[in-house]
């Protein structure tokens, strides 16, 4: 039995841990590593699904194709990848033009990603509950998810997330003050 699938999976995990926040590294790696990611994704590796979907979503090394990207994100999301769940939710929302149905499906994927500790998913859930998108407006739940995002933001790969969370919390506080009037 070959160690190649294990080595490929470990290389993807290392890549996602170290380089995911650097878009230029991602774009370079996508061009050179896509065949390995595709093979891993086809074998069911959720990290491979994420990386292949991201290439299709961005149109890097393959034609941009949101339908194919959505298929790969969905496959990884159903396999338990929080990255795929988060990105599937965002893509569903974008493709669905923010319709009630798209917001509802996206909200479900954000919940699943948040259950695994995704700071970005908690942030998006905070926005959803604040705005009443994909769920009923609920300022207490908006605040709870914003606080979870705040706690997890230091480990997230999005450098602007802590600033966005602070803005979200300030907006929730203003909405709570207005609700008390």
């Amino acid at each position: 039995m070959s160690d190649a699938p294990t080595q490929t999976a470990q290389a993807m995990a290392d890549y996602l841990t170290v380089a995911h926040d650097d878009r230029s590294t991602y774009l370079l790696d996508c061009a050179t590593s896509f065949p390995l990611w595709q093979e891993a994704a086809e074998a069911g590796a959720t990290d491979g699904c994420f990386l292949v979907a991201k290439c299709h979503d961005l149109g890097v090394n393959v034609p941009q194709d949101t339908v194919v990207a959505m298929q790969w994100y969905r496959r990884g999301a159903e396999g338990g990848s929080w990255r795929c769940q988060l990105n599937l939710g965002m893509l569903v929302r974008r493709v669905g033009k923010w319709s009630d149905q798209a917001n509802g499906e996206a909200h479900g994927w954000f919940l699943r990603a948040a259950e695994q500790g995704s700071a970005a998913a908690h942030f998006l859930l905070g926005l959803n509950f604040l705005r009443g998108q994909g769920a009923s407006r609920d300022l207490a739940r908006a605040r709870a998810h914003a606080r979870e995002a705040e706690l997890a933001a230091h480990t997230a790969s999005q450098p602007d997330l802590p600033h966005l969370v602070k803005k979200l919390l300030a907006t929730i506080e203003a909405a709570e003050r207005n609700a008390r009037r």
Side-chain angles (χ1 to χ4, degrees):
M1 183 167 168
S2 170
D3 288 336
T6 302
Q7 291 169 345
T8 300
Q10 185 59 50
M12 285 187 301
D14 292 344
Y15 167 77
L16 288 169
T17 302
V18 174
H20 182 65
D21 60 336
D22 181 354
R23 183 173 165 82
S24 61
T25 299
Y26 173 79
L27 296 176
L28 176 65
D29 286 351
C30 190
T32 59
S33 301
F34 184 83
L36 293 174
W37 297 342
Q38 178 87 33
E39 181 181 338
E42 288 171 357
T46 58
D47 286 340
C49 292
F50 169 74
L51 293 166
V52 168
K54 200 62 152 170
C55 287
H56 284 284
D57 196 6
L58 298 174
V60 177
N61 200 47
V62 294
Q64 186 174 17
D65 188 332
T66 56
V67 172
V68 173
M70 194 174 299
Q71 291 168 345
W72 283 113
Y73 282 139
R74 190 173 303 280
R75 185 171 177 179
E78 290 170 352
S81 165
W82 68 265
R83 286 180 179 90
C84 286
Q85 292 162 351
L86 177 67
N87 282 271
L88 178 59
M90 291 187 297
L91 185 58
V92 162
R93 185 178 266 177
R94 189 173 79 224
V95 169
K97 300 184 184 345
W98 293 74
S99 68
D100 289 344
Q101 181 179 354
N103 282 331
E105 183 180 348
H107 186 82
W109 289 116
F110 297 154
L111 283 169
R112 289 177 71 175
E115 288 170 359
Q116 296 183 65
S118 167
H122 279 293
F123 173 78
L124 292 169
L125 287 167
L127 282 175
N128 282 358
F129 283 115
L130 174 64
R131 296 175 177 166
Q133 292 175 324
S136 298
R137 181 178 166 114
D138 183 331
L139 295 178
R141 290 180 81 182
R143 176 180 290 284
H145 281 289
R147 289 283 182 217
E148 288 293 327
E150 183 178 47
L151 293 172
H154 70 282
T155 62
S157 63
Q158 299 92 349
D160 55 346
L161 189 58
H163 172 71
L164 294 172
V165 170
K166 285 181 184 179
K167 287 178 71 174
L168 175 59
L169 284 166
T171 303
I172 293 167
E173 288 170 8
E176 289 171 335
R177 282 192 302 275
N178 287 337
R180 287 190 291 265
R181 290 182 187 168

